[in-house]
Amino acid sequence: GIVKDKEGAHLLRHTYGTLLYSKVKDLALVQDMMRHEDPATTRAYTHIVDERRRTATDVLDNILKNS
């Protein structure tokens, strides 16, 4: 889930935000650690939307398999 069209320090920030969120699942903590004022900025760094889509798809797959 890491955006590869970024370069240098910006890529490292995206990597850090993504990996930290994947471990702690706490947007407020990631926002604080990255010093973002706006939670929307943090969401862009953590790729939460992609993760939620995968989770929703997995839930639906499990429901269909168990039906």
Side-chain angles (χ1 to χ4, degrees), residues 7 13 15-16 18-19 21 24 26 28 31 34-35 37-38 40-42 46-48 51-53 56 58 61 66-67:
E7 292 184 9
R13 283 184 62 79
T15 302
Y16 173 73
T18 300
L19 294 176
Y21 182 78
V24 301
D26 184 341
Q31 179 182 350
M34 296 187 76
R35 304 285 192 237
E37 290 185 23
D38 186 350
T41 303
T42 308
T46 58
H47 308 281
I48 293 171
E51 181 177 320
R52 286 185 177 167
R53 286 181 182 149
D58 290 346
D61 283 346
N66 294 322
S67 295

Side-chain angles (χ1 to χ4, degrees), residues 5-64:
D5 62 343
K6 309 288 183 210
E7 292 184 9
H10 199 69
L11 174 60
L12 293 176
R13 283 184 62 79
H14 272 268
T15 302
Y16 173 73
T18 300
L19 294 176
L20 181 59
Y21 182 78
S22 74
K23 297 294 181 193
V24 301
K25 303 293 189 216
D26 184 341
L27 184 63
L29 175 62
V30 176
Q31 179 182 350
D32 181 60
M33 295 298 293
M34 296 187 76
R35 304 285 192 237
H36 291 155
E37 290 185 23
D38 186 350
T41 303
T42 308
R43 283 193 301 272
Y45 274 76
T46 58
H47 308 281
I48 293 171
V49 172
D50 295 338
E51 181 177 320
R52 286 185 177 167
R53 286 181 182 149
R54 278 193 299 275
T55 300
T57 301
D58 290 346
V59 167
L60 182 58
D61 283 346
N62 289 334
I63 290 170
L64 294 174

